[in-house]
Amino acid sequence: MNGYFKTHPLAKTGLIGVLLLLFVVVMGMFFPKGAFNKYDSFILAFEFAKTPDDIKLIFNGLTSETIRNIDIGNYVDYGFMLAYSTLLGLAFYLFSKENRLHWLKYGIILVTIIFTSDFIENIFLLRLTGNVLNTSAEAVIISNLKFLSIITYSKWTGLAVAFFILYAFFYFQRWYFEVLGIFFLLPLLYFIATPQHSPENLSVFTNLIFLSFAILVMFFFLFKKKI
């Protein structure tokens, strides 16, 4: 095993991907299952909710206990966002040392913005579950949704831009890594190409970002030190 880590210097960073998977499994234990309001999952429908009617639709039939479990899932998400932000930050830092791409280290600033957006997003998600439990006035819900929308789009578009930038590193790798890195371009290109941002399109967009994370983790384990 020690020999593997010597020849694959990025593999230890890839272990963060295992932690990410663990967080996903744990969060899945607390969030309602299935598609909601034409989104692939409950949490996507919640994050991209725009109106009080959207909130009523996705929370329709959910018990108080289920809503409290959603809060627990959002608290677990703080660990998830810290883990994926660390992974992305290390990617920018480690990749900046290769191929004279020193400018990539400034991507850490973008990662900080993404993490901050995600952190604030969860605050508003928790506020909205509180609004549902307390049957708050519609004006309060609308106010929270306006802030949530800004923060949510900041997070997801920030992630798309981050992967788009990371492709610069893959461009200088072996041809198969260069081809694999093309997937990093897809989230941002798809987001731009589908300006209507329907639930179906946003679900595809977010899935492309999850795919990019999976590819990044896989690369960390496959990248071999040049001899």
Side-chain angles (χ1 to χ4, degrees):
M1 184 60 73
N2 286 333
Y4 169 77
F5 284 119
K6 286 182 180 179
T7 57
H8 296 74
L10 302 180
K12 289 183 178 179
T13 302
L15 292 174
I16 298 175
V18 179
L19 183 60
L20 286 177
L21 183 59
L22 178 62
F23 276 120
V24 169
V25 171
V26 174
M27 285 189 293
M29 296 167 58
F30 296 102
F31 293 140
K33 306 294 188 297
F36 284 78
N37 200 18
K38 298 182 180 180
Y39 288 93
D40 281 352
S41 66
F42 169 83
I43 192 60
L44 280 182
F46 193 12
E47 289 182 7
F48 286 104
K50 296 179 176 65
T51 68
D53 286 339
D54 290 337
I55 295 296
K56 289 177 183 177
L57 189 60
I58 64 177
F59 280 90
N60 182 42
L62 299 184
T63 65
S64 297
E65 181 181 358
T66 300
I67 295 173
R68 292 189 181 94
N69 282 337
I70 292 168
D71 282 348
I72 295 173
N74 279 321
Y75 282 120
V76 175
D77 189 36
Y78 281 110
F80 177 73
M81 70 179 73
L82 179 61
Y84 83 67
S85 297
T86 300
L87 182 74
L88 271 182
L90 285 172
F92 277 109
Y93 174 74
L94 294 170
F95 294 170
S96 71
K97 295 182 176 182
E98 302 287 339
N99 303 107
R100 298 180 180 178
L101 297 174
H102 303 298
W103 58 270
L104 276 178
K105 64 185 176 182
Y106 295 108
I108 296 174
I109 299 173
L110 176 58
V111 175
T112 303
I113 294 172
I114 294 168
F115 174 80
T116 303
S117 297
D118 206 350
F119 190 95
I120 297 173
E121 176 190 71
N122 273 25
I123 292 175
F124 281 98
L125 293 177
L126 290 166
R127 285 184 180 180
L128 284 163
T129 53
N131 293 158
V132 173
L133 287 172
N134 299 322
T135 59
S136 300
E138 190 169 282
V140 176
I141 296 175
I142 291 174
S143 177
N144 285 328
L145 284 172
K146 285 181 179 178
F147 283 105
L148 176 66
S149 182
I150 295 171
I151 295 300
T152 296
Y153 274 93
S154 295
K155 178 189 76 174
W156 286 107
T157 55
L159 286 168
V161 171
F163 280 111
F164 194 90
I165 294 172
L166 283 175
Y167 177 69
F169 170 77
F170 281 74
Y171 182 79
F172 293 100
Q173 301 308 305
R174 298 179 180 91
W175 70 267
Y176 44 88
F177 285 141
E178 181 183 349
V179 172
L180 195 63
I182 291 175
F183 284 97
F184 285 6
L185 304 176
L186 298 183
L188 184 60
L189 294 178
Y190 184 84
F191 186 78
I192 295 172
T194 54
Q196 63 270 34
H197 299 161
S198 66
E200 294 85 357
N201 288 339
L202 287 172
S203 293
V204 173
F205 168 62
T206 55
N207 283 331
L208 286 172
I209 288 179
F210 291 136
L211 175 62
S212 297
F213 268 112
I215 290 172
L216 179 61
V217 171
M218 183 173 64
F219 173 77
F220 278 131
F221 285 113
L222 294 178
F223 180 78
K224 197 170 183 178
K225 187 176 183 181
K226 294 179 181 179
I227 299 174

